[in-house]
Amino acid sequence: SIYRKLTFDAHVESCITSRESGFLGREWQIVPATNSRADKKAADFAMELFSSLDMTRILREIQESVYYGYSILEKIFTRDGSQIVYQDIVGKPAEWFRFDNENRLVFLTRDNPSTGEPVDMKKIELCRFRASYRNPYGERKLARIFWPVMFKKGGFQFWVEFAEKFGGAMLLGKVPPGTSQEKKETLISMLDRMVNSAVAVIENGEAVDAINTGKEGSGVFDRLVSVCNSEISKAILGHTPTTENSS
């Protein structure tokens, strides 16, 4: 669920869309195992069967294994005359499943939410990205961009605060020596209202100066966001797009 929230980042979503476009744009086919008539007939039957399914959605759900380490698809069967065929292949939330101590896939049920129950693998298609015995969950590309996204969000937050604080001139109120604390607080309140209204009334002997603090510091946040976007692109796409390099 944490990794899914990362995809709400506009740059992450852009990289995922770009990767999926390249993946889904590739042609696919089913070829016979041999040149025999039986294998050719079986390949034609399988091609016709899969062509009747929503392969764009199915391939996209398979591709989720790259981002989350693994993806689970349920195979739904139906009877077509004398044959049993796929009615649909539907992706299921990966967090509904886990691997036990023997690396077997189990389904987390309400009655058994911790250890889960064994899965009938004939009804499940398990897709994993760079999985191993040591790590049956596979490698998650979204795990590699967790901190860049977090630093980027923090950079935006401080950037907005910086813009609010230094986007305009800073008002400096001057009062004669010996002015009471109450008078100083009254002047501070007046300056606070002045930021919004640009109108104020001050007593003789008081002064208000506008100080231009400069905006050079905002470039630090700009560079931070750019570096984070570059790291996100390299993790998901394997390279940094030319548009980012030129910017």
Side-chain angles (χ1 to χ4, degrees), residues 33-52:
T34 67
N35 291 326
S36 67
R37 180 178 300 180
D39 283 348
K40 290 181 179 179
K41 184 178 180 180
D44 291 340
F45 171 76
M47 189 66 185
E48 180 181 358
L49 172 61
F50 280 97
S51 297
S52 65

Side-chain angles (χ1 to χ4, degrees), residues 174-193:
K174 297 180 179 180
V175 295
T179 302
S180 65
Q181 184 64 29
E182 182 180 355
K183 289 285 293 182
K184 292 179 181 179
E185 292 178 356
T186 301
L187 180 59
I188 290 175
S189 298
M190 183 201 68
L191 294 177
D192 186 48
R193 295 192 300 270

Side-chain angles (χ1 to χ4, degrees), residues 9 14 19 25 46 48 53 57 60 68 70 85 112 124 130 133 141 214 233 239:
D9 181 270
S14 175
R19 184 185 178 96
E48 180 181 358
L53 302 177
R57 173 186 56 77
R60 183 179 289 113
Y68 302 104
Y70 67 104
V85 298
N112 201 347
I124 291 294
R130 293 177 179 173
Y133 183 82
K141 281 191 173 291
S233 296
H239 64 88

Side-chain angles (χ1 to χ4, degrees), residues 19-28 55-57 59-60 63:
R19 184 185 178 96
E20 284 187 349
S21 297
F23 174 70
L24 297 175
R26 301 291 296 270
E27 295 183 3
W28 62 274
M55 290 302 298
T56 298
R57 173 186 56 77
L59 291 174
R60 183 179 289 113
Q63 178 76 352

Side-chain angles (χ1 to χ4, degrees), residues 120-160:
D120 183 359
M121 298 305 296
K122 294 180 180 179
K123 298 181 179 179
I124 291 294
E125 193 66 40
L126 172 61
C127 306
R128 293 185 286 183
F129 179 68
R130 293 177 179 173
S132 63
Y133 183 82
R134 179 180 59 84
N135 178 22
Y137 291 92
E139 294 185 11
R140 307 169 178 179
K141 281 191 173 291
L142 290 179
R144 300 182 183 276
I145 67 171
F146 177 82
W147 288 114
V149 173
M150 292 297 103
F151 288 143
K152 178 183 173 181
K153 286 184 177 180
F156 270 123
Q157 178 183 347
F158 290 124
W159 199 353
V160 171

